[in-house]
């Protein structure tokens, strides 16, 4: 039955296999770095990695999310010039990422020398640039239907990174600069491989600007959401580094990494659900889209609950088994993260439904509300509850985001009425009867 199911849903199976690979490698790398660096140095690396997460979130909002939802709607005649415009946008963005990170780290180090980031400028800029390039390539391959090639591309990217880190670990102690170098080499190799012509793209200057405007109309709220989401998700981590210690950040990241197996599901669905939701809506309107979203919620909810239950039953056992005695006493963090991941899952089907309807403002509003509440709650929570306050704050903003998204989806499908429905003209214009 499993073989028949995988054959019928080959595209989804390859997407999940791809994320299984990425999550497995990231899980292994996280364990290696946490064990060899210790909580303090691992915490410093986590704070550095937040820069790459930041530029990747912006990339998803401006380029990848529009491409995943708008690209499948293009007919054969329009597809080549559309994807050519998307590639051109990505190249411009990559140049901007390298330039801004180089200048930003140099200025930050000069203004505040204790940061000691000057020696990371080139390594971090290169790692971030190659990472976003390869991330675009893999998403492009998925949206064009080349799921197997995307899987091969990620084998080069993440398998190469793991091999380089293992070689470095065999010869000497692994440091932050060396991890960034491993990311740069493996991501550059995979991006170069994936840029080989697959389905043909064409570039037109006029089409470039037209599609850039279309992407902006689609993603302007997503960009605000990406910024707000990054702030709401990472402000507590950053505050933990300032108000507590880098070791506290390392402990948080180590606990979160244990549930990294769920990224197989989350990111695998994220490769497929937005474009599939768009296609269902294009072909069958609201009923087809709603039926698809319900299936995703049911399947994903069950699949999320199983690893969470396993991790929450014996948290101290898993932490010490994977990371060693230095991480003893942080078991409660793992239980907190289990609850958070159960709620986080809902963002994938809810946001996919809104993107299929090309109604993305609620995604921005959810992130903005979470960011505002984060800013107000950080200091009292951390100073009162310490490390538990950090995780409580992350849970709080996660709940707020999903409530806003769920409310917007209910409004869009006409299943819930509130005073907002009388003024929500954007929904009326966007949603097809």
């Amino acid at each position: 039955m499993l073989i028949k199911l995988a054959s019928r849903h080959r595209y989804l199976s390859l997407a999940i296999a791809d994320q299984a690979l990425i999550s497995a490698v990231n899980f292994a790398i996280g364990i290696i770095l946490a064990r060899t660096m210790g909580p303090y140095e691992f915490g410093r690396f986590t704070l550095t990695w937040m820069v790459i997460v930041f530029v990747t979130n912006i990339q998803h909002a401006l380029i990848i999310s529009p491409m995943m939802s708008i690209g499948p709607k293009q007919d054969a005649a329009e597809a080549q010039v559309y994807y050519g415009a998307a590639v051109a946008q990505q190249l411009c963005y990559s140049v901007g990422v390298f330039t801004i990170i180089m200048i930003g780290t140099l200025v930050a180090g000069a203004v505040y020398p204790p940061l000691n980031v000057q020696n990371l400028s080139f390594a971090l800029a290169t790692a971030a640039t190659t990472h976003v390039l390869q991330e675009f390539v893999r998403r492009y391959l998925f949206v064009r239907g080349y799921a197997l090639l995307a899987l091969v591309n990620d084998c080069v990217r993440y398998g190469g990174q793991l091999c380089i880190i293992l070689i470095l670990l065999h010869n000497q102690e692994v440091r932050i600069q060396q991890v960034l170098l491993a990311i740069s080499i493996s991501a550059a190799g995979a991006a170069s491989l994936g840029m080989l012509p697959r389905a043909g793209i064409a570039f037109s200057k006029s089409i470039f600007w037209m599609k850039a405007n279309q992407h902006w109309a689609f993603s302007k709220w997503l960009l605000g959401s990406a910024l707000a989401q990054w702030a709401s998700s990472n402000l507590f981590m950053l505050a933990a580094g300032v108000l507590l210690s880098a070791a506290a950040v390392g402990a948080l990241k180590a606990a979160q990494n244990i549930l990294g197996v769920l990224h197989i599901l989350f990111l695998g669905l994220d490769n497929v659900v937005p474009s599939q939701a768009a296609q269902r809506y294009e072909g069958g309107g609201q009923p087809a889209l709603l039926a698809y979203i319900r299936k995703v919620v049911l399947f994903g909810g069950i699949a999320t609950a199983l690893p969470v239950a396993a991790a929450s039953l014996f948290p101290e056992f898993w932490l010490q088994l994977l990371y060693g005695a230095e991480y003893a006493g942080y078991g409660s963090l793992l239980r907190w993260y289990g609850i958070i991941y159960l709620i986080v899952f809902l963002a994938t089907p809810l946001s996919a439904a809104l993107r299929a309807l090309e109604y993305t403002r609620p995604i921005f509003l959810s992130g903005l509300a979470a960011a505002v509440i984060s800013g107000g709650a950080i200091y009292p929570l951390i100073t009162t509850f310490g490390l538990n306050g950090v995780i409580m704050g992350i849970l709080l903003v996660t709940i707020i985001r999903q409530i806003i998204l769920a409310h917007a989806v209910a409004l869009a499908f006409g299943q819930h009425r509130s005073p907002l429905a009388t003024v929500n003209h954007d929904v009326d214009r966007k949603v097809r009867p």
Side-chain angles (χ1 to χ4, degrees):
M1 287 179 62
L2 289 174
I3 293 173
K4 289 181 179 179
L5 183 64
S7 298
R8 286 181 58 191
H9 302 280
R10 181 175 178 270
Y11 187 78
L12 178 59
S13 300
L14 287 171
I16 294 178
D18 179 75
Q19 280 309 142
L21 166 72
I22 295 173
S23 297
V25 172
N26 284 336
F27 180 75
I29 290 175
I31 294 174
I32 291 170
L33 297 182
R35 288 185 71 96
T36 57
M37 289 180 167
Y40 178 78
E41 191 67 13
F42 185 57
R44 289 187 68 234
F45 172 74
T46 300
L47 294 172
T48 303
W49 179 253
M50 287 182 186
V51 176
I52 298 179
V53 173
F54 178 75
V55 298
T56 305
N57 285 355
I58 294 178
Q59 174 200 30
H60 274 255
L62 290 178
I63 301 171
I64 291 177
S65 288
M67 181 178 70
M68 296 289 284
S69 293
I70 297 174
K73 300 176 184 178
Q74 309 299 308
D75 59 34
E78 297 173 335
Q80 289 191 351
V81 289
Y82 171 80
Y83 288 111
V87 169
Q89 289 178 41
Q90 177 60 48
L91 293 175
C92 293
Y93 181 75
S94 300
V95 172
V97 165
F98 183 86
T99 304
I100 291 172
I101 291 180
M102 277 290 293
I103 296 174
T105 50
L106 290 173
V107 170
V111 172
Y112 189 63
L115 287 176
N116 192 28
V117 293
Q118 296 95 326
N119 60 336
L120 293 177
S121 294
F122 182 78
L124 180 56
T126 304
T129 302
T130 54
H131 178 79
V132 296
L133 272 173
Q134 193 272 332
E135 179 65 14
F136 173 83
V137 166
R138 64 184 295 269
R139 298 285 186 161
Y140 168 81
L141 291 173
F142 270 113
V143 80
R144 296 305 299 269
Y146 298 111
L148 181 58
L149 291 176
L151 176 59
V152 172
N153 195 268
D154 282 330
C155 286
V156 175
R157 161 69 173 89
Y158 292 93
Q161 180 182 341
L162 178 59
C163 290
I164 294 171
I165 289 176
L166 290 175
I167 292 171
L168 292 172
L169 184 63
H170 179 72
N171 294 326
Q172 56 187 327
E173 183 180 355
V174 176
R175 298 188 180 277
I176 295 176
Q177 293 93 330
Q178 295 166 332
V179 178
L180 295 175
L181 176 64
I183 293 171
S184 300
I185 294 173
S186 57
S192 300
L193 178 65
M195 285 181 180
L196 296 175
R198 298 298 181 191
I201 58 174
F203 179 76
S204 167
K205 186 176 180 179
S206 60
I207 296 297
F208 171 80
W209 289 112
M210 184 177 69
K211 295 304 178 183
N213 289 332
Q214 184 182 10
H215 276 200
W216 174 248
F218 179 95
S219 63
K220 59 186 177 183
W221 296 112
L222 292 181
L223 176 61
S225 174
L227 296 172
Q229 181 180 358
W230 184 89
S232 63
S233 300
N234 292 285
L235 279 178
F236 280 97
M237 281 280 197
L238 292 171
V242 173
L243 299 176
L244 300 175
S245 67
V249 177
L252 285 164
K253 186 62 179 177
Q256 183 185 22
N257 190 58
I258 290 179
L259 287 171
V261 64
L262 287 171
H263 295 167
I264 299 173
L265 174 67
F266 294 173
L267 298 178
L269 292 177
D270 196 44
N271 284 335
V272 176
V273 171
S275 57
Q276 290 292 311
Q279 290 176 7
R280 300 297 175 92
Y281 181 61
E282 186 72 13
Q286 284 191 35
L289 175 59
L290 182 58
Y292 178 68
I293 294 301
R294 283 174 172 166
K295 289 180 182 178
V296 174
V297 171
L298 178 61
F299 165 77
I302 295 172
T304 301
L306 295 176
V308 166
S312 299
L313 286 175
F314 309 103
E316 288 289 345
F317 168 77
W318 293 115
L319 281 169
Q320 295 187 55
L321 174 67
L322 296 173
Y323 302 120
E326 285 185 281
Y327 292 86
Y330 293 115
S332 62
L333 297 179
L334 187 52
R335 287 198 174 101
W336 280 105
Y337 267 117
I339 300 172
I340 290 169
Y341 269 75
L342 283 171
I343 301 171
V344 163
F345 157 72
L346 294 174
T348 295
L350 292 175
S351 61
L354 293 171
R355 289 170 183 173
L357 299 169
E358 296 189 30
Y359 176 50
T360 56
R361 184 173 62 181
I363 301 175
F364 162 71
L365 294 176
S366 68
L368 179 62
V372 171
I373 293 172
S374 295
I378 282 176
Y379 188 79
L381 281 175
I382 295 179
T383 53
T384 303
F385 300 103
L387 195 54
N388 283 329
V390 178
I391 205 76
M392 288 167 61
I394 296 173
L395 175 61
L396 173 65
V397 299
T398 301
I399 292 173
I400 290 169
R401 292 191 73 247
Q402 309 321 325
I403 288 175
I404 293 174
L405 292 177
H407 179 73
V409 170
L411 282 175
F413 282 109
Q415 296 177 341
H416 175 68
R417 297 296 176 189
S418 78
L420 290 177
T422 62
V423 298
N424 207 345
H425 301 303
D426 281 357
V427 176
D428 295 334
R429 288 198 300 267
K430 294 287 185 183
V431 179
R432 180 181 305 171

